[in-house]
Amino acid sequence: APGVLVSVPAPGSFQKSVTGLGGTASGTFGVVAASIAVQELVSGYWWNGSTFTAPGTKQWYTVNLPLVGGPVNYTFTYTSATLTFQDNYQYIIDARAEDTAGNTGNLGILASFTYDTTEPASNVTAPVAGTFLNNLTAISGAASDPNGNASGVFKTEITIQKPNNDYWQTGGGWAGGAPAWLPTTGAPGWTKTTSLPPSNNNNATGLFDGARYTIGTRAVDVAGSTQTAILFSTFTFDVTLPWAWINQPPGSAAGVTVYDRNAALTELV
C-alpha cells in the first residue's frame, strides 16, 4: 500500500493563517491520487466541502491533481476557498493515497494543528508608570496570550522614546523615524537589562535631567501574531539634587537664643 504524510500545516503546530493543506505520498509503482479529510476536534464535525457542520461519516476530498514528483515520491496540495478555520479551535487532518494498482494507504497517526489569531498582550511593570528615576538599570513587565487554546507568548519587545520623538536604537544612540523595537529576555514575564540608554545626563547619548521618556511594549505569540494595541508607560529622569534652607530664625537675627544639636544654649551676637 502507498504511504502518505501531512506536512502542511506542520503537525502539532499553531497557525494564524492557513491557505492550504499539503503533504507527501509514495508508492513503489507510483501514486495516482490523494485525498484529505478535515475534522474540528471538539465537536467532531467533519468538513463537508463548505462548512464544519457534518458530524458522523468522514468525508474525503481529492487533492489538486496532478501530483507533483514521481515515479515513487510525490507531493500534494489541497486548497479550497470555503475551507476556513476559527480562532481558538483545534483541527485534525487525515490523508490517504492511492497507487496505480488501486491500493490505498492512510495516515498512521492523524495530523493536528491549532488555529490562533488572537493577538497577545504585554505591559510594563517597572519602572512604575509616572515614576522619577536617577538611574535606569532595568525595564520589566509581563505578557500573556489569551484563549484556552492559545499558542503562548514567544517574545516581547520594547521601544524607548525621548521627548523629541527619537527612539533608542538596538545598537545604542537616539534616532528618528519608525520605532526601534528592542529585544527582551523571558516569557511571559520579561526583562531588559542590557543596551539601555545610559544615565549620563546627556541628551545626545543617554538620559537627560528633567526629560520624560516613554516605553512601549509589544508581544509576539508562537503562532506569529503581533500585538498591535501598544501600551505605553512613562518615567522622568531626575538627577537634580534637592536643597533646603533655614528661615527661622532669620540669618541676620541677633540676641536670639537657639538650641544646637547637643542641646547646648548658644547666643547669637
Side-chain angles (χ1 to χ4, degrees):
V4 61
L5 291 172
V6 171
S7 56
V8 180
S13 65
F14 292 86
Q15 303 289 328
K16 69 171 185 176
S17 177
V18 176
T19 58
L21 310 178
T24 60
S26 61
T28 303
F29 302 106
V31 177
V32 295
S35 304
I36 60 94
V38 186
Q39 184 183 40
E40 195 277 298
L41 180 62
V42 174
S43 68
Y45 287 177
W46 290 94
W47 187 61
N48 66 2
S50 59
T51 64
F52 284 92
T53 56
T57 305
K58 183 184 301 186
Q59 302 189 50
W60 294 98
Y61 294 88
T62 303
V63 303
N64 303 339
L65 295 175
L67 303 181
V68 178
V72 175
N73 299 310
Y74 301 81
T75 61
F76 63 84
T77 58
Y78 179 82
T79 56
S80 171
T82 59
L83 180 55
T84 57
F85 304 100
Q86 294 187 65
D87 181 37
N88 200 35
Y89 277 62
Q90 295 176 301
Y91 296 89
I92 292 174
I93 305 170
D94 197 1
R96 66 184 182 185
E98 180 180 347
D99 65 17
T100 55
N103 300 310
T104 59
N106 285 67
L107 284 177
I109 299 176
L110 302 185
S112 65
F113 72 94
T114 303
Y115 201 64
D116 176 14
T117 60
T118 298
E119 294 181 2
S122 62
N123 64 288
V124 176
T125 57
V128 175
T131 195
F132 289 78
L133 299 176
N134 61 12
N135 190 25
L136 179 65
T137 59
I139 299 173
S140 58
S144 62
D145 195 22
N147 290 336
N149 294 317
S151 59
V153 176
F154 175 63
K155 66 179 181 179
T156 302
E157 302 168 317
I158 64 169
T159 62
I160 306 173
Q161 187 180 27
K162 65 190 297 189
N164 72 347
N165 295 327
D166 283 353
Y167 291 92
W168 187 253
Q169 303 297 301
T170 302
W174 300 102
W181 290 101
L182 313 176
T184 68
T185 58
W190 56 267
T191 187
K192 175 74 171 174
T193 58
T194 61
S195 302
L196 293 173
S199 302
N200 59 2
N201 197 20
N202 188 311
N203 192 45
T205 61
L207 302 179
F208 186 64
D209 184 41
R212 186 173 68 175
Y213 297 86
T214 301
I215 305 170
T217 175
R218 71 179 184 185
V220 180
D221 68 15
V222 174
S225 295
T226 301
Q227 176 182 350
T228 57
I230 308 300
L231 298 179
F232 296 95
S233 179
T234 63
F235 72 91
T236 301
F237 187 63
D238 178 12
V239 290
T240 298
L241 296 177
W243 59 286
W245 67 95
I246 298 174
N247 58 14
Q248 289 294 333
S252 60
V256 177
T257 300
V258 298
Y259 286 99
D260 67 11
R261 60 185 294 178
N262 297 313
L265 290 174
T266 303
E267 182 176 351
L268 301 178
V269 295

